[in-house]
Amino acid sequence: MSILVTGGTGLVGKYLQQYIKDGIYLGSRDYDLTKEDQVIAMYEKYRPSVVIHLAAKVGGIMDNIAYPFEYYEDNLLMNTYMVKYARLFKVDKFVGALSSCIYPDVVKRYPLTEQDLHKDLPNENNFGYGYAKRVLGCHIDIAKKQGLNYSYIIPSNLYGEFEHGDVSRKHFVGALLEKIHIAKQEGNDSITLFGDGTPLRQFTFAKDVAEILDLIIKNDIKENLNISTPSNTTIDFMAREALEATDSQGIRIIYDTSKPNGQMRKDIDTAKFQNIFSNYEFTSYIKGIKQTYNTLYGQ
């Protein structure tokens, strides 16, 4: 079984290398997946039987607000070409990665199930990215209806040791840890976070998602699955937990309420996942934060 992983040098992809050791791991330096001819060349060269599609244009909330066109178009192009040519090159199994920010901004009932995907609009701050990922879900579901073994995962907010980019491009936890590190280095007594700290979030260690992807491939799981730790707490609580985990309790948190909160809550239901992987234990937030911070900043 030849397994090709796009986004193979990214946050989840680097962890996946620890589980699927003989996979083909490709990054943006290998192929530009927004270019049709490069996607064709990739499939022609490797002829994979399994594709795990992790590649995406990703970034923090302010970057999504500043460049919604690029977040929509780049993701739409790469996802469309990846699924189209997986079918034409007769890939046996395709697993795509979506994101919990694709879900409706506000619903009457939480947590969000896999069936809530198309009920309403995504949050306006992630609208371009969210809709591009929704289209990937549609494309995969349509392929599934025609008998193809295609599926997707929908992880909650991720963090880990392999997130790239400067602080403006990182997701919340990655940006938070960098701000803590800079404050400690420069002797500052505070860090500034966007919004007011009240939004609710689930944070999942990216290594867990990689391990689950390995299990999905090994067990040929065909279901679309939400993947997340069950804990759903405020941004403020998680930020304070991170300060404790990094021995930074003396640093104050200042909230810049001129900046957006983002989606107020988007906790996802994991009943389907738990039914399939009933014994899976997620890494605790404190343990994951400590491992990430110590690896990145040598503490």
Side-chain angles (χ1 to χ4, degrees):
M1 185 167 56
S2 172
I3 302 175
L4 184 146
V5 182
T6 68
T9 59
L11 180 57
V12 176
K14 291 287 284 187
Y15 285 118
L16 192 58
Q17 293 181 32
Q18 301 173 21
Y19 296 100
I20 303 177
K21 298 184 184 299
D22 57 351
I24 302 160
Y25 292 89
L26 302 175
S28 57
R29 293 183 179 180
D30 300 300
Y31 295 94
D32 180 350
L33 301 181
T34 68
K35 308 294 185 186
E36 186 171 15
D37 60 335
Q38 293 200 33
V39 175
I40 294 171
M42 180 191 72
Y43 275 113
E44 283 183 335
K45 179 176 181 179
Y46 294 106
R47 301 276 173 169
S49 55
V50 176
V51 170
I52 301 174
H53 178 42
L54 304 176
K57 179 178 177 63
V58 297
I61 187 170
M62 297 308 294
D63 210 51
N64 271 270
I65 291 171
Y67 304 105
F69 188 93
E70 288 80 359
Y71 275 91
Y72 179 74
E73 184 174 83
D74 287 357
N75 284 297
L76 184 67
L77 287 171
M78 70 174 74
N79 295 339
T80 300
Y81 293 144
M82 283 299 303
V83 176
K84 174 180 179 177
Y85 287 101
R87 177 172 178 259
L88 292 177
F89 279 86
K90 302 186 186 307
V91 169
D92 295 327
K93 185 175 184 64
F94 186 102
V95 181
L98 277 59
S99 164
S100 60
C101 73
I102 64 177
Y103 279 118
D105 187 19
V106 179
V107 296
K108 294 180 180 179
R109 172 196 46 78
Y110 291 92
L112 294 149
T113 71
E114 292 85 352
Q115 286 68 46
D116 291 326
L117 184 59
H118 304 291
K119 285 190 174 178
D120 210 333
L121 301 178
N123 180 267
E124 62 179 358
N125 296 320
N126 293 298
F127 192 84
Y129 176 79
Y131 244 110
K133 285 290 191 176
R134 274 194 186 186
V135 172
L136 173 60
C138 290
H139 208 166
I140 288 172
D141 283 337
I142 289 166
K144 189 192 295 284
K145 286 182 179 180
Q146 288 194 206
L148 297 175
N149 185 4
Y150 287 20
S151 63
Y152 50 81
I153 61 169
I154 308 175
S156 66
N157 291 60
L158 300 181
Y159 68 94
E161 300 151 274
F162 302 110
E163 189 170 15
H164 302 308
D166 61 31
V167 69
S168 68
R169 295 290 308 279
K170 290 182 177 180
H171 292 99
F172 173 75
V173 172
L176 170 64
L177 294 183
E178 184 170 338
K179 289 178 179 182
I180 292 171
H181 173 66
I182 292 171
K184 292 174 77 169
Q185 273 199 323
E186 298 181 354
N188 299 328
D189 65 355
S190 67
I191 58 173
T192 300
L193 303 181
F194 293 164
D196 61 13
T198 61
L200 296 170
R201 290 290 184 272
Q202 295 163 302
F203 291 108
T204 303
F205 194 31
K207 185 176 182 180
D208 293 345
V209 175
E211 184 177 24
I212 291 162
L213 280 167
D214 181 40
L215 294 171
I216 286 171
I217 299 303
K218 286 179 177 175
N219 294 282
D220 193 24
I221 303 301
K222 297 178 172 62
E223 298 290 326
N224 301 325
L225 297 174
N226 283 337
I227 296 176
S228 178
T229 57
S231 178
N232 183 45
T233 54
T234 66
I235 288 287
D236 183 67
F237 178 82
M238 302 307 271
R240 295 183 188 283
E241 287 279 282
L243 288 174
E244 181 177 343
T246 58
D247 295 321
S248 310
Q249 293 93 325
I251 296 176
R252 297 179 298 114
I253 300 172
I254 298 172
Y255 285 101
D256 181 356
T257 55
S258 70
K259 298 293 193 300
N261 269 319
Q263 200 164 350
M264 289 306 297
R265 68 180 296 182
K266 56 175 182 172
D267 41 306
I268 56 178
D269 183 278
T270 59
K272 283 179 67 178
F273 172 82
Q274 292 167 358
N275 185 55
I276 296 171
F277 299 110
S278 58
N279 296 320
Y280 190 84
E281 292 187 12
F282 285 91
T283 303
S284 72
Y285 180 69
I286 291 291
K287 181 179 179 181
I289 286 291
K290 285 183 176 179
Q291 182 173 327
T292 300
Y293 189 80
N294 292 344
T295 298
L296 289 174
Y297 303 113
Q299 302 296 315

